[in-house]
Amino acid sequence: MFANRLQFVVKVIIAHIYVFLLSVCFLSCGDAGVKRSIAVADSLADADQAVAVRYIDSVARARAGMNRSDRMKLMLLRVKALNKLDCPLDSDTLVGLVGYFDNHGTANDKMLANYILGCYYMSCGNSPAAMRSLHIAAEAADTTSRECDYLTLHKVHVHAALLLMRQNALTDAMAENALALKYALQAKDTFNAIITLEQRANIYLNQGQGDKALSIRSKLYGMYMRYGYAKEAAISQWPLASILARCGNIAGAKCCIDIFEKASGLIDSTGNIEQGRESYYIDKGIYHTKANMLDSAEFYFRKCLVATSSSFDLKDGYVGLSEVYKRRHNPDSVAKYAELARIATDSMYASMNTTHLQQMRAMYDYNEYKLSAEVYKREAVSARLTSIIVIIVAAMVSVGVGGYIRKKRRARRMEILRYERSISALEQARQELCAVNEQQQTEMARLIDEKTNEIERQRETNENYRRDIQELERVKDELYSLSERQRMQFNSLIAEKDAQIAQLYQEKQRYEQSVNTARNVKAYSNESIVKQLKRRARKDLTAMTNDDVNRLKAVFTGVEQFNKIESLVNANEYLVCMLIKVGFTPADICVLTGLSNSNVSNIRKRLLMKLTGRNGSPKDFDAYVISL
């Protein structure tokens, strides 16, 4: 058994070494151009998914001979962009990507591939498979690395919490939500952190902890507004209005409803809510019922019954009408709508029973997966224990070998002591012989005294030489220190002059650029259409007409380098390019085009990427266009 475990540990180590060497091999392949294309595709997959898909397809066509690692990375980024666009995905492609990155990818690649596969299974309604893929994605993340993709890891736990909440596993859902909030904060993604808190309020509400749900929902509006998410802040007021209305806080519910209907963008000009959100009519009917505005309550309950197809909304609508007629003391209508509510409830329970069976099956599959995961963990612990035992045995062998070596050294020292005792005995015999021959000993003493005196004289001479050498060493060190200080001073002066030269050169470049910009803009300042548009933008405050646009285009007839832009951009973007070229400010462009300031800024920044392939500020784009 021990041999089998040892063999298993050796195989695991060899497999890890093989994967490491294979990863290094893949990373060393491919040219720098492909790596830059992958980096651009990765940025586009987060910023503009449609553009990312087109860009990746163009790179794949242009670089048909790229290695497999780069090709699979581009395919993963393409699938990521399609998943964000809610486009249908091919299961075989996803499974192939997961299989490849599980063996050859980085921790982030493996996590992303399994996360997308989990999203695919969620869209297909396969909850157990989705939960399994999401757990694999979470386990693949390397949270000890600085390169860990915390934003994707946050999404993994958000989707896992959503799945568990659908299966009514609310305790597990709360644990996943806590992890999602943790990783959103580590990713410094404030928006998703607030959304995660909103999901936590829904879990509390399903757990029957309305006070905690109300506490979180009361803070969401301020959080969204603090970071500039006005629409999301308004949408968060609908659930809060529902809770407040059911608690009898009519004034608070009214305030929330007004904010929601005014700023959420989900209510059209006729007062109808976006399709699929008809339950809002129920909440508004309950609010009017609590406020004793029965006509309005009846209107919204009936409006929901006409618009919705959900058995839950039908049941709530009939219950609401029954309550309205109860307050009006109309027992016939109360009985009628109570019976309709009962019928809708039976239908709802039939649907809920089916859903409950599906949930039980999903939870069974999920528990089976957790059991298999526990078995795998126990096997991993067993393998780790085997490794520890091997290390302990090796340590014991090392201790034994060390003890044996120490024993041999001790025996060698005893032999040396025996030799020393023999030497002492021989020395004693020598002294006895010296005592017998005193005359010879006296002569030897005299000779020894002479040699001793000579040695003392030589030692004094050597001491004088040593002091002279030390003095010379000290002088040399002082000279070296002085030289180093002078060198550092000269280097500092040289660096200072270099900085002054660089600053003057930058100022010269800025001056030349401002002169060129003024010259390019001034070339068009005498055109009649330019003068007319300046008057419109700065005095009349009116937008351009189609005739104005055509006259402005005529100004650039024959400017070949500028006209090439028209085939690369749409009409609005080309109009912005022309207005910047003739010297209009962003504020003037907003007036002439009717676009918002933020929209104009986004168009200029996007055009810089589209025309030059680099990121930069809107002002960088202005300088580029004026320089054409």
Side-chain angles (χ1 to χ4, degrees):
M1 180 64 122
F2 176 79
N4 291 336
R5 289 185 177 177
L6 182 59
Q7 186 177 8
F8 172 77
V9 172
V10 172
K11 287 182 178 179
V12 169
I13 294 172
I14 292 173
H16 279 79
I17 294 173
Y18 174 74
V19 171
F20 173 76
L21 293 176
L22 191 61
S23 300
V24 171
C25 178
F26 273 113
L27 287 173
S28 64
C29 297
D31 59 350
V34 175
K35 301 300 181 186
R36 286 194 295 271
S37 298
I38 291 175
V40 172
D42 195 5
S43 300
L44 288 175
D46 291 326
D48 191 333
Q49 292 76 38
V51 174
V53 172
R54 293 195 296 272
Y55 178 77
I56 292 170
D57 290 342
S58 66
V59 171
R61 288 192 298 270
R63 298 182 179 271
M66 71 178 72
N67 59 44
R68 188 186 179 195
S69 173
D70 295 333
R71 187 171 65 255
M72 296 299 282
K73 179 68 176 178
L74 281 174
M75 189 181 299
L76 178 62
L77 293 175
R78 188 178 191 277
V79 170
K80 175 183 177 182
L82 290 174
N83 182 57
K84 287 190 175 183
L85 292 171
D86 292 327
C87 294
L89 302 175
D90 179 46
S91 60
D92 293 337
T93 301
L94 290 177
V95 172
L97 284 172
V98 169
Y100 174 80
F101 286 108
D102 281 350
N103 294 321
H104 307 298
T106 63
N108 287 339
D109 292 338
K110 182 178 179 181
M111 173 175 61
L112 178 59
N114 282 280
Y115 162 68
I116 296 173
L117 183 60
C119 292
Y120 169 77
Y121 284 136
M122 284 182 66
S123 66
C124 296
N126 190 346
S127 298
M131 184 62 69
R132 182 166 56 254
S133 295
L134 292 175
H135 274 292
I136 294 173
E139 291 171 0
D142 183 8
T143 55
T144 62
S145 171
R146 291 184 178 180
E147 304 298 326
C148 181
D149 185 0
Y150 286 111
L151 187 56
T152 300
L153 185 56
H154 156 76
K155 294 177 182 177
V156 169
H157 289 291
V158 165
H159 283 76
L162 181 61
L163 273 176
L164 291 169
M165 188 166 62
R166 289 177 182 173
Q167 308 305 329
N168 207 30
L170 300 179
T171 302
D172 292 337
M174 185 61 74
E176 292 289 339
N177 179 268
L179 291 172
L181 180 60
K182 170 186 174 183
Y183 294 127
L185 294 175
Q186 285 189 267
K188 296 181 175 58
D189 190 342
T190 307
F191 180 65
N192 279 313
I194 300 173
I195 292 176
T196 306
L197 282 175
E198 193 164 4
Q199 185 188 51
R200 178 173 295 183
N202 295 334
I203 297 174
Y204 277 136
L205 202 59
N206 289 338
Q207 287 179 331
Q209 302 185 52
D211 293 340
K212 292 183 177 180
L214 179 60
S215 175
I216 293 176
R217 289 243 169 240
S218 300
K219 300 172 184 176
L220 288 176
Y221 182 79
M223 292 180 181
Y224 278 123
M225 292 300 292
R226 187 180 307 126
Y227 296 100
Y229 304 113
K231 182 177 179 180
E232 289 76 8
I235 294 175
S236 70
Q237 294 298 285
W238 170 12
L240 179 59
S242 176
I243 296 173
L244 293 175
R246 285 174 168 80
C247 294
N249 188 346
I250 304 304
K254 172 62 175 171
C255 180
C256 294
I257 289 172
D258 291 341
I259 294 173
F260 172 76
E261 293 186 346
K262 181 179 179 181
S264 68
L266 301 178
I267 306 292
D268 62 18
S269 59
T270 59
N272 295 322
I273 197 165
E274 184 181 273
Q275 187 176 0
R277 302 175 185 263
E278 290 81 5
S279 59
Y280 173 69
Y281 299 136
I282 298 294
D283 293 328
K284 196 165 183 182
I286 292 172
Y287 157 73
H288 283 105
T289 303
K290 295 286 186 178
N292 207 29
M293 294 183 285
L294 302 182
D295 291 339
S296 298
E298 180 182 2
F299 170 76
Y300 282 107
F301 286 136
R302 293 189 182 280
K303 188 173 184 177
C304 180
L305 293 177
V306 172
T308 189
S309 59
S310 169
S311 57
F312 292 90
D313 292 343
L314 289 173
K315 187 267 294 183
D316 291 338
Y318 290 134
V319 170
L321 287 173
S322 176
E323 178 64 25
V324 168
Y325 283 110
K326 185 185 294 184
R327 292 184 177 225
R328 290 176 174 172
H329 306 290
N330 190 337
D332 293 337
S333 296
V334 171
K336 171 186 173 182
Y337 288 109
E339 178 62 19
L340 290 173
R342 184 191 64 78
I343 294 171
T345 301
D346 292 342
S347 175
M348 182 182 70
Y349 279 137
S351 175
M352 288 176 63
N353 287 335
T354 302
T355 303
H356 184 63
L357 290 174
Q358 293 173 348
Q359 290 175 348
M360 290 177 63
R361 176 60 184 175
M363 288 306 298
Y364 172 77
D365 292 339
Y366 173 59
N367 290 331
E368 285 294 316
Y369 167 72
K370 289 179 68 176
L371 180 61
S372 63
E374 289 296 328
V375 171
Y376 173 76
K377 287 182 180 178
R378 285 198 294 272
E379 290 178 353
V381 170
S382 177
R384 191 178 297 111
L385 180 61
T386 302
S387 302
I388 293 172
I389 292 173
V390 170
I391 293 171
I392 292 173
V393 170
M396 293 174 64
V397 171
S398 300
V399 170
V401 171
Y404 173 75
I405 293 172
R406 285 194 297 272
K407 183 176 179 181
K408 295 294 289 183
R409 288 179 177 174
R410 191 179 298 112
R412 191 177 296 112
R413 283 197 297 271
M414 293 300 296
E415 284 189 30
I416 293 171
L417 287 175
R418 285 196 298 271
Y419 283 126
E420 289 177 351
R421 283 194 294 270
S422 298
I423 292 170
S424 298
L426 292 173
E427 186 70 25
Q428 185 177 359
R430 184 183 67 78
Q431 290 175 359
E432 290 175 355
L433 290 174
C434 287
V436 173
N437 194 358
E438 293 181 357
Q439 183 178 359
Q440 186 177 1
Q441 189 70 26
T442 302
E443 183 65 18
M444 290 296 296
R446 185 183 64 80
L447 293 174
I448 290 171
D449 288 340
E450 289 179 358
K451 296 299 180 182
T452 301
N453 292 333
E454 185 177 353
I455 290 170
E456 288 296 329
R457 289 193 300 272
Q458 189 65 36
R459 182 180 292 113
E460 290 176 359
T461 303
N462 291 341
E463 183 67 23
N464 292 331
Y465 285 150
R466 187 181 63 81
R467 284 196 294 271
D468 292 339
I469 291 170
Q470 288 179 346
E471 180 65 22
L472 290 174
E473 289 287 340
R474 185 185 63 79
V475 172
K476 184 193 75 170
D477 291 339
E478 290 178 353
L479 290 174
Y480 181 79
S481 176
L482 178 61
S483 174
E484 284 296 310
R485 287 196 300 272
Q486 289 178 346
R487 184 179 62 82
M488 291 176 64
Q489 289 175 355
F490 280 116
N491 288 341
S492 176
L493 291 173
I494 291 169
E496 182 179 351
K497 297 303 179 184
D498 288 342
Q500 292 176 357
I501 291 170
Q503 182 178 0
L504 290 173
Y505 181 76
Q506 290 176 358
E507 290 177 358
K508 174 178 174 293
Q509 282 186 330
R510 285 196 296 270
Y511 174 76
E512 290 177 349
Q513 185 177 2
S514 64
V515 170
N516 290 335
T517 300
R519 187 183 299 116
N520 290 336
V521 171
K522 189 176 180 180
Y524 298 99
S525 61
N526 292 327
E527 295 290 341
S528 60
I529 182 61
V530 174
K531 294 178 180 180
Q532 182 179 348
L533 291 178
K534 285 183 179 179
R535 184 173 61 256
R536 280 174 176 259
R538 298 167 186 174
K539 293 182 179 182
D540 300 336
L541 301 179
T542 58
M544 296 176 65
T545 64
N546 291 332
D547 182 61
D548 295 334
V549 174
N550 293 330
R551 290 176 61 196
L552 185 59
K553 285 183 178 180
V555 172
F556 295 99
T557 301
V559 184
E560 181 179 353
Q561 188 176 3
F562 188 80
N563 290 339
K564 290 180 180 178
I565 297 176
E566 187 173 5
S567 61
L568 301 176
V569 299
N570 60 37
N572 279 341
E573 292 172 344
Y574 186 62
L575 180 58
V576 171
C577 292
M578 291 191 296
L579 291 173
I580 291 172
K581 178 69 176 177
V582 298
F584 285 97
T585 65
D588 296 336
I589 295 172
C590 292
V591 174
L592 292 174
T593 60
L595 300 174
S596 65
N597 192 24
S598 61
N599 199 355
V600 171
S601 296
N602 290 334
I603 288 173
R604 292 153 64 205
K605 189 173 182 180
R606 185 171 63 248
L607 282 171
L608 181 63
M609 171 60 72
K610 185 182 293 185
L611 297 177
T612 66
R614 59 186 176 88
N615 285 320
S617 66
K619 290 185 177 180
D620 294 335
F621 172 73
D622 295 348
Y624 167 74
V625 170
I626 292 172
S627 67
L628 292 177

